[in-house]
Amino acid sequence: VVTATIVARSVHGIEWIAADEIATGLPGAGDLALARREITFTVPEVDERLLGLRTVDDVFLSVGRVTDVGSTKAALAPLAAQVTGLDWGTALAAVRALRALPRLPRFDVVASIEGRRSFNRYAVENTVGAALAPVLSAAHLARTNEGRPAGEPDLTVRVFLRGEEAGLALRLGDAPLHRRAYKLDTGPGTLHPPLAAALVRLAAPAGLLLDPCCGDGTIPIEAALANPEFPAIGADLDPARLAGARRNADRAGVNIQLVRADAGAPPWRPHQVDALVSNPPWGLAVDPAGRLAGSLRDFWRSVPELLDTTGRGYLIVDDETDRPAVDLAALLRVRLAGRVSQVLACTPPGQPAPALSAGLARWRRRAIAAGVVTEDGF
Ligand SMILES: C[S@@+](CC[C@H](N)C(=O)[O-])C[C@H]1O[C@@H](n2cnc3c(N)ncnc32)[C@H](O)[C@@H]1O
């Protein structure tokens, strides 16, 4: 049986949530291995379900690896020569089976480098790109001193250089998976969609999901896409953000309820909510307004009260946000755009900390055993 090796990239901290989505969403996925920001696995066949993964940032088809890569500039030409010898024809055919490519596709090369070198990633990208153009029958969008070339590539080649090895991979989609086609209206402090999808996966709604500070609607939209059978409500104090959320939801083709409300005095009766998922304003990108101006105290008080007896809340807060008086379990940390945030889990008063699904708990243990994350984050 011919299998393909897939490399999925994720935000650091949620690798195990992505692994759970891959293991349950892609029957036939095997040999799943977790590393920092990366989940590698095999599939019997490359198909469009790979492009439907919601908690990963991006997904690539592994083309192969080359060894004995040196650390000086003299290593670049031999590296490029080895790269051209890999089986690009089979990889290109797999991508063409997923989506249409123009007759003369345009491609870019994106390299990441671990370990000391006397060359930078741009030197790798331009050398490998120039060598691969005839092999791929594609035009290389070379990076110049002016920066990135204009226009979007049809193909992206990824070079992961670690020590003396380089892994080569081809992006399956025409854009990174984290870039959602629906999300054209965005405001300050908007949430990275795969992280929103990961929080929704943790909360596993089996009833009403509420985000009382929904901004552009990322969380309720991701919830409705993942669990169309359950209602999702987004609320916010800012009418402009709510209007943007409505346009995003329409483009996503989901039917969510959007309400103008103050999260410090929520208009919902207690115990109505099965899953409360939110990133409240931290005072960094967005200032808390209304009843939350000055302190998130009323938010932290209202969250547990809104939850049904079996409900649970997952809240993402900056490491420096004012800490709630209520006892919330710190479940994980994420690193995003250089900042570290925490995900806190909560249950209604008197209930123990929420349990993870068996699958999530197993992947979390594996990620901890692999040294990718720790009990409280990383
Ligand atoms: C960090 S942003 C949320 C971003 C959102 N998750 C997204 O993906 O766009 C915080 C949001 O809280 C809203 N906000 C501030 N004070 C509020 C209040 N008292 N009640 C409800 N929303 C409030 C802001 O308008 C902003 O949209």
Side-chain angles (χ1 to χ4, degrees):
V1 183
V2 183
T3 60
T5 300
I6 304 296
V7 181
R9 302 278 295 168
S10 85
V11 168
H12 184 34
I14 62 166
E15 293 89 348
W16 51 278
I17 304 176
D20 181 60
E21 185 190 15
I22 290 164
T24 51
L26 302 172
D31 307 324
L32 216 142
L34 290 161
R36 185 192 166 97
R37 300 211 54 201
E38 191 172 289
I39 305 102
T40 311
F41 57 99
T42 57
V43 287
E45 184 170 22
V46 174
D47 66 37
E48 64 284 348
R49 283 175 307 182
L50 287 160
L51 299 180
L53 292 171
R54 310 208 67 84
T55 61
V56 302
D57 273 9
D58 213 350
V59 63
F60 300 89
L61 174 62
S62 170
V63 181
R65 46 186 64 249
V66 302
T67 52
D68 299 326
V69 182
S71 59
T72 64
K73 286 196 180 87
L76 288 170
L79 166 67
Q82 280 200 73
V83 166
T84 57
L86 298 174
D87 182 4
W88 292 95
T90 303
L92 265 182
V95 172
R96 279 191 192 279
L98 277 187
R99 58 189 175 91
L101 287 176
R103 207 177 47 79
L104 181 68
R106 305 194 310 163
F107 77 103
D108 66 353
V109 180
V110 179
S112 50
I113 300 184
E114 286 174 24
R116 284 178 68 86
R117 318 272 165 180
S118 62
F119 51 81
N120 63 20
R121 54 174 278 217
Y122 306 126
V124 176
E125 291 168 1
N126 283 343
T127 311
V128 169
L132 269 183
V135 178
L136 297 176
S137 305
H140 178 224
L141 296 173
R143 186 186 285 270
T144 64
N145 288 336
E146 278 78 58
R148 262 185 68 92
E152 292 293 322
D154 305 296
L155 291 165
T156 292
V157 169
R158 209 54 173 87
V159 185
F160 301 102
L161 204 48
R162 290 188 193 105
E164 295 189 345
E165 260 197 13
L168 273 294
L170 198 54
R171 174 180 285 142
L172 287 174
D174 56 1
L177 286 191
H178 66 76
R179 203 183 294 158
R180 305 290 209 250
Y182 71 76
K183 200 168 170 182
L184 300 181
D185 283 275
T186 62
T190 199
L191 190 60
H192 190 60
L195 199 47
L199 297 176
V200 168
R201 193 165 186 89
L202 285 173
L208 176 65
L209 175 137
L210 171 69
D211 177 356
C213 303
C214 75
D216 313 310
T218 321
I219 290 169
I221 292 171
E222 290 295 325
L225 289 169
N227 308 291
E229 65 278 37
F230 298 118
I233 300 180
D236 203 284
L237 205 49
D238 181 349
R241 291 300 281 269
L242 286 168
R246 173 52 67 205
R247 289 189 292 271
N248 287 335
D250 288 348
R251 272 187 295 266
V254 294
N255 182 19
I256 59 170
Q257 204 183 321
L258 291 163
V259 185
R260 180 152 192 258
D262 191 321
W268 296 278
R269 277 179 292 125
H271 315 307
Q272 296 298 294
V273 178
D274 184 58
L276 195 147
V277 181
S278 194
N279 71 314
W282 302 335
L284 292 169
V286 195
D287 281 330
R291 292 273 296 253
L292 303 187
S295 168
L296 292 182
R297 195 181 48 239
D298 286 350
F299 176 82
W300 297 121
R301 192 182 36 70
S302 76
V303 166
E305 289 169 5
L306 287 171
L307 292 174
D308 182 9
T309 43
T310 57
R312 59 234 154 268
Y314 287 96
L315 305 157
I316 178 160
V317 296
D318 189 78
D319 258 358
E320 279 147 41
T321 310
D322 64 348
R323 273 288 103 96
V326 283
D327 189 22
L328 299 183
L331 176 67
L332 60 91
R333 282 201 162 80
V334 287
R335 188 186 301 280
L336 199 58
R339 285 199 79 86
V340 174
S341 311
Q342 259 191 64
V343 173
L344 306 176
C346 76
T347 35
Q351 299 293 326
L356 294 173
S357 72
L360 280 168
R362 189 169 59 245
W363 287 112
R364 182 161 178 261
R365 280 196 303 275
R366 276 187 59 170
I368 292 171
V372 176
V373 295
T374 60
E375 286 293 342
D376 64 351
F378 48 72

